[in-house]
Amino acid sequence: MDTDPRQFAPATARNRDFILPILQRVLPATGRVLEIGSGSGEHAVHFARHLPFLHWQPSDADPAALGSIAAWVRHAALPNLAQPLHLDLGAAAWPVAQADAVVAINVLHYSPWSSTAALFRGAANVLQAAGVVYCYGPYRRGGAHTAPSNAAFDAWLRGIDPRFAVRDLEAVEAQALACGFRLDEVIDMPANNFSLVFRRG
């Protein structure tokens, strides 16, 4: 009997219905969305299903994640959901030449700090003039954690890999600004997370 290569991430089921209304509001009505760090692939399926006029392009750098995403894509069989691409944020060139929005959910704290600058540099190269970058996750504000649970999560992340950490929102904003993106919205989300909406200008 074949094993199911699809991965299941409990956090996805918890946050996707809170993220979706924001994406419905801030993403363009049509066009191509490049999702960075698509992980299990569950977000890609959920958002592609509920945003049928957007072409959803998942991506990841982890071969295991790419296998799970591909399995989810096959299972969902949605006409607007593409096969995943291998995308390393630190690569000089991304495998996508053009997009209308970039979505990164729970990416920045699970990657080295250099990946934050790489995300915005890459987005500047592929996004159109009115392009949007959406980032979701926990952030420190004013140099402090916003909840004790986030401080504990930060310690856990650093224990997994000392390059990982809950990032300072102001530092992320500075990296975005250096690449031509302004922080347009900061939206409080459940479980002490935030949605950050960046736009060119």
Side-chain angles (χ1 to χ4, degrees):
M1 183 176 179
D2 292 337
T3 58
D4 187 348
R6 291 177 298 161
Q7 297 175 7
F8 295 83
T12 301
R14 291 195 298 268
N15 63 37
R16 64 188 183 186
D17 290 326
F18 296 105
I19 294 172
L20 177 61
I22 297 171
L23 297 183
Q24 289 172 322
R25 179 172 61 82
V26 305
L27 295 183
T30 61
R32 188 183 202 189
V33 177
L34 172 61
E35 184 185 9
I36 304 292
S38 299
S40 68
E42 295 167 275
H43 274 141
V45 169
H46 188 71
F47 299 143
R49 180 174 288 129
H50 287 87
L51 299 165
F53 298 109
L54 286 172
H55 178 85
W56 202 272
Q57 176 61 69
S59 71
D60 210 286
D62 179 7
L66 290 170
S68 177
I69 300 163
W72 274 108
V73 170
R74 290 193 300 271
H75 183 265
L78 296 170
N80 62 323
L81 179 59
Q83 286 293 325
L85 296 174
H86 179 270
L87 191 154
D88 183 345
L89 278 174
W94 287 3
V96 171
Q98 180 273 326
D100 299 285
V102 169
V103 169
I105 298 171
N106 290 328
V107 169
L108 298 184
H109 53 282
Y110 275 111
S111 56
W113 171 241
S114 59
S115 293
T116 298
L119 170 69
F120 289 104
R121 280 197 308 268
N125 289 332
V126 303
L127 287 179
Q128 302 300 293
V132 174
V133 177
Y134 171 85
C135 297
Y136 169 91
Y139 297 92
R140 289 159 52 102
R141 303 198 71 175
H145 288 292
T146 60
S149 59
N150 281 11
F153 180 54
D154 187 36
W156 180 80
L157 284 169
R158 294 171 189 268
I160 293 175
D161 188 321
R163 300 174 301 166
F164 296 173
V166 174
R167 304 302 176 191
D168 286 298
L169 190 152
E170 295 82 4
V172 174
E173 181 180 10
Q175 292 291 337
L177 192 60
C179 295
F181 294 94
R182 73 179 190 279
L183 180 56
D184 194 53
E185 293 185 65
V186 178
I187 305 161
D188 288 350
M189 303 292 286
N192 304 301
N193 289 301
F194 295 93
S195 286
L196 310 183
V197 181
F198 298 89
R199 299 183 187 274
R200 284 210 190 258

